[in-house]
Amino acid sequence: AQTVTQSQPEMSVQEAETVTLSCTYDTSENNYYLFWYKQPPSRQMILVIRQEAYKQQNATENRFSVNFQKAAKSFSLKISDSQLGDTAMYFCAFIDSNYQLIWGAGTKLIIKP
Amino acid sequence: KAGVTQTPRYLIKTRGQQVTLSCSPISGHRSVSWYQQTPGQGLQFLFEYFSETQRNKGNFPGRFSGRQFSNSRSEMNVSTLELGDSALYLCASSLGVEPNYEQYFGPGTRLTVT
């Protein structure tokens, strides 16, 4: 069965620090897509970053970057220079040929002033 | 482009009633997926529609059904509501074809069953 595991239920860091959120997944497919989504207290789910499994280069979006280790089935999210507005639930997810997003349980990230 | 819209945003229903939720995807998107989010179960996939056809279905009872119209708008129906159906229902749209699988979410419909 395809699964996504986020082992950190909650994390907190000081503003301007760097934080890394962990995610591991399990799939037998070779072609799939990985995502990090953010859900702030307002509840709107927002796409943060995506990674294609066939690409070796790690994706980056401004302060957000991933460390994608395909063999280890690991997909961590690094947030640099964290800001108060980064406070949210962060979900790791992947999609394959079944067109279904498989979600992790989420990590609650708190940025402290 | 306008984002994904969901109506209504909040809904209070009584056990045994039925409810219909609506989702309008981003223009040009042909795939619409529905999710149920609860504190206890997290995000659970309900179903996905692509060009009016259900392409995938999660593990929910038959009381949960959906459909998609030719303009890609989608509706989700829950019949014979139970207290456990209280949740945030999220709709997401996508182009739905490789490699454009990323999904964009609406604000959700908060359903409370009393």
Side-chain angles (χ1 to χ4, degrees), chain A residues 31 33 37 39 44 50 98, chain B residues 37 56 98 102-103 105:
Chain A
N31 189 28
Y33 300 79
Y37 282 88
Q39 190 176 37
Q44 181 93 31
R50 62 170 271 168
N98 290 318
Chain B
Q37 187 177 28
N56 204 348
E98 208 168 352
E102 60 266 33
Q103 297 185 5
F105 284 78

Side-chain angles (χ1 to χ4, degrees), chain A residues 6-85:
Chain A
Q6 294 180 250
S7 58
Q8 304 148 314
E10 184 170 325
M11 297 183 71
S12 67
V13 297
Q14 295 292 137
E15 192 177 7
E17 289 183 346
T18 294
V19 60
T20 299
L21 309 183
S22 301
C23 173
T24 58
Y25 58 92
D26 188 23
T27 180
S28 57
E29 300 219 358
N30 192 49
N31 189 28
Y32 49 88
Y33 300 79
L34 295 156
F35 307 95
W36 278 98
Y37 282 88
K38 164 186 175 181
Q39 190 176 37
S42 68
R43 312 298 290 181
Q44 181 93 31
M45 192 76 77
I46 301 164
L47 176 65
V48 175
I49 199 165
R50 62 170 271 168
Q51 173 80 43
E52 293 88 339
Y54 59 83
K55 288 187 177 178
Q56 291 190 337
Q57 186 174 6
N58 290 324
T60 62
E61 284 287 342
N62 301 313
R63 298 183 294 107
F64 299 87
S65 61
V66 299
N67 183 4
F68 173 49
Q69 303 289 329
K70 190 172 183 179
K73 295 181 180 174
S74 170
F75 182 59
S76 62
L77 174 70
K78 185 172 84 170
I79 306 173
S80 303
D81 185 27
S82 57
Q83 301 174 359
L84 297 178

Side-chain angles (χ1 to χ4, degrees), chain B residues 17 22 25-26 29 35 47 56 73 87-88 91-92 97 111:
Chain B
Q17 289 184 316
S22 181
I26 292 170
H29 284 192
Y35 300 90
F47 26 66
N56 204 348
R73 189 178 70 85
L88 180 68
C91 159
V97 291
L111 172 64

Side-chain angles (χ1 to χ4, degrees), chain B residues 95-114:
Chain B
L95 286 169
V97 291
E98 208 168 352
N100 301 300
Y101 281 148
E102 60 266 33
Q103 297 185 5
Y104 297 89
F105 284 78
T109 294
R110 170 72 64 185
L111 172 64
T112 302
V113 182
T114 62

Side-chain angles (χ1 to χ4, degrees), chain B residues 7-114:
Chain B
T7 56
R9 293 292 309 279
Y10 302 91
L11 207 49
I12 300 175
K13 289 287 188 179
T14 303
R15 195 170 43 182
Q17 289 184 316
Q18 76 162 18
V19 66
T20 299
L21 312 183
S22 181
C23 172
S24 292
I26 292 170
S27 177
H29 284 192
R30 296 162 64 190
S31 167
V32 174
S33 297
W34 288 90
Y35 300 90
Q36 182 195 66
Q37 187 177 28
T38 59
Q41 298 296 319
L43 279 154
Q44 294 186 283
F45 171 73
L46 282 153
F47 26 66
E48 187 247 0
Y49 286 87
F50 181 81
S51 294
E52 302 179 68
T53 300
Q54 189 181 82
R55 231 176 13 177
N56 204 348
K57 187 178 187 303
N59 190 25
F60 275 80
R63 301 185 296 108
F64 292 82
S65 62
R67 59 178 176 169
Q68 186 180 34
F69 302 96
S70 58
N71 62 358
S72 293
R73 189 178 70 85
S74 178
E75 287 182 347
M76 189 191 92
N77 185 274
V78 187
S79 62
T80 319
L81 283 166
E82 301 177 359
L83 296 178
D85 297 333
S86 294
L88 180 68
Y89 289 89
L90 293 170
C91 159
S93 80
S94 164
L95 286 169
V97 291
E98 208 168 352
N100 301 300
Y101 281 148
E102 60 266 33
Q103 297 185 5
Y104 297 89
F105 284 78
T109 294
R110 170 72 64 185
L111 172 64
T112 302
V113 182
T114 62

